[in-house]
């Protein structure tokens, strides 16, 4: 399933952006919905499912583990859950593709199974650190073999687990979720504490599926020995996908866009706060609850942006949005400083290095530090950048092209399909000028 095709894009200067759009379903919620529905007893319907490569990989893996999943339409799944103990050993290695969330959360689920499993991923995922999940899972009693120093492929020998109290050393919802999912299978209580609270979808969804769990920002606690009851899930539109449009409309003069029903979980919306500090004009309309999550329509208009010191406490709440923020910073007046964001170096690419390199190629002065960068706003020239197969970097430089003096050619964009299939058509619908080669 790994994306092998290369695709290069050319993004050119655009006029004002206009339109009312809905971006695809949330990736984090879609992964978790498949997982919990598969482990629940009975039939769950998922609406608004992200039909991207990452989440389809997770669905395929549960099918390989013996779960029947129907696809009545692209954004729907019906999952016939097999119960906590109903998964079957797969005949082949389980391919997570490009998806760190898929692989890390699956480690937690598979650690509790009475059969062994092998998890593999694409080239990028095979370079990403897995020790952060294998260590706590080993402390719970799982045996997980990795390639040198914690890299995939992972061989998971699950079995009897015991609950632990775990303080996560990095701010990571994936680590927290892996430990909590293993905790479903563990004897006794499992507790995760976080110095910096991260997205709480696993906690909220476990509660929605009927598992007793106590949680608050920075802390979650559950015990093994319960059951998950099938539940329908409505997936909100992904804030991380909306982010590219928030930045694009903010920086292209004369723009006005409306993004419908965007998920506004507070652990995801750091970029909204950062952009507002920079002077962005983004309004929330009709806030409402959808499937247990806060959503609202976001109206964004062009505004003059100024550089800021990004408050370090916002970093975990905007961890996926830094590539987009870097583009806003590149055209803002003055310097934008980011610190406390070393995690960006172990995402789908080293996002600090790849964004810095790309922006410099477009004429922007960027100083890179071990845990951040200083970006001096200026004039984006045209040129060639390489996304290094990182979906969010490809989409960010597409946005940059809209205000650049000359075309921006972006290499290696095929992985945009991991999180945002349909991105090229949607950006063209609102007025961006994008050619795919
Ligand atoms: C995610 C958590 C974050 C984020 C990723 C999705 C999740 O990763 O970057 O895109 O769904 O739990 P980390 O846990 O590594 O910060």
């Amino acid at each position: 399933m790994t994306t092998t095709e290369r695709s290069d894009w050319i993004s050119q200067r655009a006029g004002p952006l206009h339109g009312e759009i809905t971006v695809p379903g949330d990736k984090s919620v879609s992964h978790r919905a498949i997982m919990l529905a598969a482990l629940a007893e009975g039939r769950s319907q998922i609406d608004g499912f992200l039909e991207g490569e990452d989440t389809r990989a997770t669905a395929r893996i549960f099918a390989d583990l013996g779960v029947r999943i129907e696809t009545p339409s692209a954004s729907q799944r019906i999952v016939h859950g097999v119960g906590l103990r109903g998964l079957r050993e797969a005949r082949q290695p389980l391919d997570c593709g490009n998806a760190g969330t898929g692989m890390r959360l699956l480690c937690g689920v598979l650690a509790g199974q009475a059969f062994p499993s092998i998890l593999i991923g694409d080239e990028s995922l095979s370079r990403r650190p897995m020790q952060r999940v294998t260590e706590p899972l080993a402390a719970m009693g799982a045996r997980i073999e990795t390639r040198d120093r914690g890299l995939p492929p992972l061989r998971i020998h699950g079995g009897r687990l015991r609950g632990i109290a775990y303080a996560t050393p990095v701010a990571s919802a994936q680590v927290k979720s892996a430990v909590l999912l293993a905790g479903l299978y563990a004897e006794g209580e499992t507790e995760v504490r976080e110095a910096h609270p991260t997205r709480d979808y696993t906690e909220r969804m476990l509660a929605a599926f009927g598992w007793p769990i106590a949680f608050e920002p920075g802390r979650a606690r559950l015990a093994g020995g319960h059951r998950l009851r099938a539940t329908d899930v409505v997936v909100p539109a992904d804030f991380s996908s909306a982010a590219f449009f928030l930045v694009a409309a903010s920086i292209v003069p004369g723009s006005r866009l409306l993004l419908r029903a965007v998920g506004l979980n507070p652990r995801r919306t750091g970029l909204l706060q950062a952009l507002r500090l920079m002077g962005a004009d983004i309004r929330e309309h009709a806030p409402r609850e959808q499937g247990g999550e806060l959503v609202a329509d976001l109206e964004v208009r062009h505004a003059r942006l100024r550089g800021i010191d990004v408050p370090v406490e916002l970093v975990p709440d905007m961890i996926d949005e830094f590539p987009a923020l870097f583009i806003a910073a590149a055209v803002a007046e003055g310097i934008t400083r980011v610190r406390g964001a070393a995690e960006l170096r172990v995402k789908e690419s080293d996002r600090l290095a790849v964004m810095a390199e790309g922006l410099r190629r477009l004429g922007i002065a960027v100083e890179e530090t071990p845990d951040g960068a200083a970006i001096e706003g200026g004039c984006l020239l045209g040129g060639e950048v390489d996304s290094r197969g990182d979906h969010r970097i490809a989409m960010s430089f597409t946005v940059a092209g809209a205000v650049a003096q000359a075309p921006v050619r972006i290499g290696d964009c095929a992985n945009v399909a991991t999180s945002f299939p349909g991105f090229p058509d949607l950006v063209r619908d609102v007025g961006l000028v994008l050619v795919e080669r």
Side-chain angles (χ1 to χ4, degrees):
M1 74 126 305
T2 306
T3 304
T4 45
E5 265 167 58
R6 261 190 82 96
S7 158
D8 292 353
W9 293 357
I10 298 169
S11 175
Q12 296 179 36
R13 201 171 177 84
L17 309 182
H18 286 291
E20 300 193 1
I21 57 169
T22 307
V23 298
D26 190 279
K27 182 152 73 72
S28 295
V29 176
S30 296
H31 278 298
R32 287 159 171 86
I34 290 284
M35 292 182 189
L36 295 194
L39 301 177
E41 291 167 22
R43 174 191 186 277
S44 300
Q45 180 165 326
I46 306 171
D47 284 301
F49 181 75
L50 169 65
E51 180 77 345
E53 286 175 6
D54 279 12
T55 42
R56 279 169 41 209
T58 290
R60 201 170 306 124
I61 285 172
F62 278 92
D64 290 347
L65 293 165
V67 181
R68 190 156 70 85
I69 302 177
E70 296 171 65
T71 306
S73 73
S75 63
Q76 273 185 326
R77 291 294 184 277
I78 291 171
V79 181
H80 298 272
V82 294
L84 218 54
R85 306 274 170 199
L87 299 179
R88 299 278 163 264
E89 181 173 351
R91 293 205 190 93
Q92 68 276 359
L94 303 167
D95 188 351
C96 300
N98 192 244
T101 306
M103 184 172 275
R104 293 193 178 120
L105 271 59
L106 270 158
C107 281
V109 171
L110 296 173
Q113 309 303 319
F115 54 80
S117 309
I118 299 175
L119 287 177
I120 60 172
D122 71 2
E123 207 188 311
S124 150
L125 185 53
S126 301
R127 285 193 303 263
R128 297 183 65 187
M130 293 297 148
Q131 246 165 2
R132 52 181 61 198
V133 288
T134 59
E135 273 176 14
L137 294 176
M140 296 176 82
R143 192 158 64 81
I144 305 181
E145 294 164 47
T146 67
R147 191 164 59 85
D148 33 83
R149 289 170 295 109
L151 300 177
L154 307 176
R155 264 170 205 278
I156 304 177
H157 307 271
R160 288 177 71 87
L161 302 179
R162 53 190 173 271
I164 53 168
Y166 190 65
T168 55
V170 282
S172 167
Q174 295 176 358
V175 173
K176 170 177 65 177
S177 300
V179 174
L180 290 175
L181 290 171
L184 305 183
Y185 292 91
E187 229 168 79
E189 210 171 78
T190 295
E191 183 182 55
V192 182
R193 283 178 185 274
E194 311 180 278
H196 303 281
T198 61
R199 65 193 72 188
D200 56 1
Y201 297 123
T202 303
E203 297 91 306
R204 297 162 76 95
M205 213 183 278
L206 281 169
F209 277 79
W211 197 282
I213 175 167
F215 64 98
E216 60 195 33
R219 185 166 179 231
R221 195 158 40 92
L222 55 74
H226 300 279
R227 294 164 150 201
L228 292 168
R229 281 191 308 269
T231 302
D232 293 344
V233 179
V234 181
V235 182
D238 198 322
F239 182 87
S240 296
S241 296
F244 304 105
F245 293 90
L246 295 179
V247 171
S250 293
I251 65 176
V252 178
S255 299
R256 179 203 170 263
L257 282 182
L258 190 82
L259 307 171
R260 289 191 215 98
V262 180
L264 293 184
N265 180 304
R267 297 279 76 83
R268 295 291 299 286
T269 47
L271 179 77
L272 203 52
Q273 295 182 56
L275 286 175
R276 283 178 176 149
L277 289 172
M278 295 173 83
D281 179 356
I282 304 172
R283 295 171 206 193
E284 291 162 41
H285 299 294
R288 56 207 182 264
E289 205 190 281
Q290 187 186 290
E293 288 288 334
L294 174 66
V295 304
D297 305 324
L298 297 181
E299 182 186 15
V300 50
R301 291 171 193 269
H302 168 257
R304 279 177 69 95
L305 302 183
R306 51 188 177 271
I308 57 166
D309 284 3
V310 177
V312 75
E313 64 276 11
L314 284 185
V315 168
D317 296 347
M318 57 183 290
I319 195 65
D320 291 334
E321 280 61 75
F322 280 97
L325 174 92
F326 273 43
I327 303 304
V331 299
E333 200 181 309
I335 297 179
T336 295
R337 290 189 182 80
V338 175
R339 62 194 172 87
E343 273 295 298
L344 295 177
R345 296 204 181 275
V346 290
K347 294 293 177 189
E348 286 83 330
S349 69
D350 176 343
R351 287 185 173 158
L352 290 174
V354 178
M355 285 306 299
E357 177 194 280
L359 284 178
R360 280 190 207 113
R361 281 173 166 260
L362 302 181
I364 300 295
V366 183
E367 194 188 306
E368 206 185 312
T369 63
D371 70 341
I375 305 126
E376 191 173 343
C379 178
L380 277 165
L381 310 171
E384 268 191 44
V385 298
D386 191 337
S387 79
R388 305 286 174 91
D390 185 325
H391 55 135
R392 298 201 197 282
I393 290 187
M395 290 187 273
S396 298
F397 281 114
T398 301
V399 171
V403 290
Q405 300 296 304
V408 174
R409 189 180 185 114
I410 311 150
D412 206 0
C413 299
N415 274 340
V416 167
T418 61
S419 71
F420 202 155
F423 175 81
D425 287 338
L426 202 55
V427 296
R428 284 189 288 254
D429 279 354
V430 300
L432 264 83
V433 185
L434 179 67
V435 180
E436 297 160 81
R437 307 234 151 178

